Amino acid sequence: MQLSRSLTGAIFLTFALGLLLSSTTNAHNITKILAKHPEFSTFNHYLTITHLADEINRRETITVCAVDNAGMSDLLSKHLTVYAMKNVLSLHILLDYFGAKKLHQITNGTALAATMFQATGAAPGSTGFVNVTDLKGGKVGFGAEDNDGKLDATFVKSLQEIPYNISVIQISKILPSPEAEAPTPAPNELNLTSIMSKKGCKVFSDMLIATGAIDTFYDNADGGLTVFCPLDSVITDFAPKYKNLTAEKKVSLLLYHGIPVYESMPMLKSNNGLMNTLATDGANKYDFTVQNDGEVVTLKTKIVTARIVGTLIDEQPLAVYTINKVLLPRELFKAALTPAPAPAPEAEAPKDADSPTAPEPFAPDSEPEDQTASDQNGSVRSKGGILVAVVLSVWLGAFIVF
């Protein structure tokens, strides 16, 4: 009886720990998923060399519309550049979850799904969307939005589904799209300032050009770059302060709005903490703290908190987001941190044991309060995990003893 209870307790403990561990292992790997199906080796190969595989693995809630080797041969016969090939394949990556069941039960019978091609910012208008429609006879049609409404491909089968995380399905053929197949410049030829100017950040892009700071941004574009671009209305309000900065400080301020790594939105939401910037130089930290509250991502300096309000482009190795405030680094705006001197007391009053203690002055070099709060929350979570383990161990011990 004692052995039976001990065995039961051990099984329960193993199951409980398994649940705790499995909650953190929901990542997917598109390369490994497709490797189980040799008939998709060509599609899988081009996802790798275009770096789309890495982007798929970073994202959540996504559908990959794979085409078999025979279907890929038609695309390869067009002899597209690797960058145009990337655009075509990114049109086959839907930024929503479509399992087999959902495909056959689409609300109103049709849906317009955004794709990774649309997220790049290179797709004009709605050409980066795919029409998914339920057809007669249980079929599901797929067609690029810029293909005159034609549904060229149909759903064949589901390859693997991890509900609401990733769905990998087979469609009958490559989706033709003149915009996706158009000649595409290499990343170092992308006109970063043009992308900004067309999407509400013209003043910021003009500043980058005028100061020469744009060269530093381009130097980092191939290896990975994330830019936080204040909207035109925000920069206009800040213009008087900007004009009072020296030429060197203007460059530092602009570089402070870029980080030398690629950060997609899911990555920003999961990688909370301090970030160095293009302006970071040894002891001159020029860093800020990235934090999120659900879907809202904020950038906190010692002086101001800005919020990401839009995405101009999000395609590895480049991401450009719009923000609602200019980021003010402590290194350039220390005066904003210095508290006004308190008036000298007229006479020293006798100390009263019941009187409240005066608050300590703000220390410019201290970490942001939210950063400290985050660390404390992490400590609470850690202690909570230990408490769960202790309770389970005591429970198991009770079974062994009794």
Side-chain angles (χ1 to χ4, degrees):
M1 184 66 178
Q2 181 179 355
L3 178 61
S4 175
R5 288 184 177 180
S6 301
L7 181 60
T8 302
I11 293 174
F12 177 81
L13 179 60
T14 302
F15 176 73
L17 292 176
L19 288 177
L20 290 174
L21 292 174
S22 64
S23 64
T24 60
T25 56
N26 59 354
H28 54 263
N29 187 307
I30 185 61
T31 304
K32 291 183 179 180
I33 292 174
L34 289 176
K36 301 174 186 177
H37 307 275
E39 67 271 26
F40 295 92
S41 60
T42 303
F43 187 86
N44 198 11
H45 169 72
Y46 278 97
L47 286 183
T48 299
I49 66 173
T50 58
H51 300 290
L52 285 172
D54 294 334
E55 184 62 24
I56 292 171
N57 294 338
R58 288 189 181 97
R59 290 180 177 265
E60 300 175 358
T61 314
I62 200 166
T63 300
V64 179
C65 301
V67 177
D68 63 17
N69 295 341
M72 285 293 292
S73 62
D74 293 335
L75 178 62
L76 297 179
S77 66
K78 297 181 180 181
H79 304 289
L80 302 177
T81 66
V82 67
Y83 304 107
M85 178 74 76
K86 183 175 184 177
N87 283 345
V88 172
L89 294 184
S90 65
L91 188 66
H92 293 70
I93 303 169
L94 312 183
L95 303 182
D96 197 357
Y97 181 84
F98 286 93
K101 182 177 180 180
K102 181 177 178 179
L103 285 173
H104 289 93
Q105 297 178 354
I106 298 176
T107 304
N108 298 323
T110 186
L112 201 58
T115 69
M116 199 170 287
F117 181 43
Q118 185 71 23
T120 65
S126 60
T127 57
F129 285 82
V130 166
N131 188 341
V132 185
T133 301
D134 287 336
L135 303 174
K136 188 176 181 179
K139 294 183 178 182
V140 182
F142 294 78
E145 182 67 6
D146 67 334
N147 195 35
D148 298 326
K150 297 178 182 177
L151 301 176
D152 300 276
T154 55
F155 170 72
V156 177
K157 63 182 178 181
S158 174
L159 301 179
Q160 183 166 338
E161 297 181 18
I162 304 177
Y164 311 112
N165 188 5
I166 183 172
S167 172
V168 184
I169 63 175
Q170 179 186 0
I171 61 174
S172 59
K173 60 183 293 188
I174 287 289
L175 302 176
S177 167
E179 290 293 344
E181 296 173 15
T184 304
N188 59 358
E189 298 176 48
L190 285 174
N191 193 331
L192 180 59
T193 56
S194 177
I195 294 174
M196 293 180 182
S197 297
K198 293 177 181 178
K199 301 290 182 71
C201 290
K202 185 178 188 306
V203 180
F204 184 76
S205 67
D206 289 345
M207 288 178 172
L208 292 177
I209 296 172
T211 60
I214 187 63
D215 294 336
T216 303
F217 282 78
Y218 277 128
D219 289 343
N220 287 271
D222 288 346
L225 175 66
T226 302
V227 183
F228 302 100
C229 175
L231 293 167
D232 285 344
S233 59
V234 175
I235 289 285
T236 301
D237 294 338
F238 178 73
K241 293 182 180 179
Y242 179 77
K243 292 178 180 178
N244 290 331
L245 296 175
T246 64
E248 182 180 0
K249 290 182 177 181
K250 287 178 180 178
V251 172
S252 295
L253 176 67
L254 297 174
L255 295 181
Y256 188 59
H257 288 74
I259 57 177
V261 291
Y262 167 74
E263 293 280 350
S264 66
M265 185 57 71
M267 294 168 69
L268 287 173
K269 292 177 181 178
S270 60
N271 296 337
N272 285 190
L274 288 175
M275 291 276 186
N276 286 336
T277 67
L278 295 176
T280 300
D281 183 16
N284 295 319
K285 295 182 179 180
Y286 280 99
D287 54 17
F288 54 72
T289 301
V290 177
Q291 292 188 330
N292 76 288
D293 181 8
E295 296 299 311
V296 178
V297 179
T298 57
L299 313 176
K300 298 190 175 186
T301 77
K302 297 288 186 179
I303 300 171
V304 70
T305 298
R307 176 168 49 89
I308 295 179
V309 294
T311 302
L312 302 190
I313 182 172
D314 182 2
E315 179 187 9
Q316 191 181 22
L318 176 65
V320 182
Y321 305 102
T322 54
I323 55 178
N324 68 338
K325 292 182 182 179
V326 175
L327 298 176
L328 304 180
R330 173 185 56 190
E331 289 77 4
L332 297 181
F333 298 92
K334 291 181 180 179
L337 291 171
T338 305
E346 296 180 0
E348 184 176 352
K351 293 184 178 179
D352 186 352
D354 295 329
S355 61
T357 303
E360 296 182 2
F362 177 78
D365 292 329
S366 63
E367 292 299 324
E369 292 180 4
D370 290 310
Q371 177 75 13
T372 303
S374 177
D375 294 341
Q376 291 174 345
N377 290 338
S379 176
V380 170
R381 287 192 295 269
S382 176
K383 292 178 180 177
I386 294 174
L387 179 59
V388 171
V390 170
V391 172
L392 289 175
S393 299
V394 172
W395 187 88
L396 176 60
F399 268 90
I400 295 176
V401 173
F402 298 102

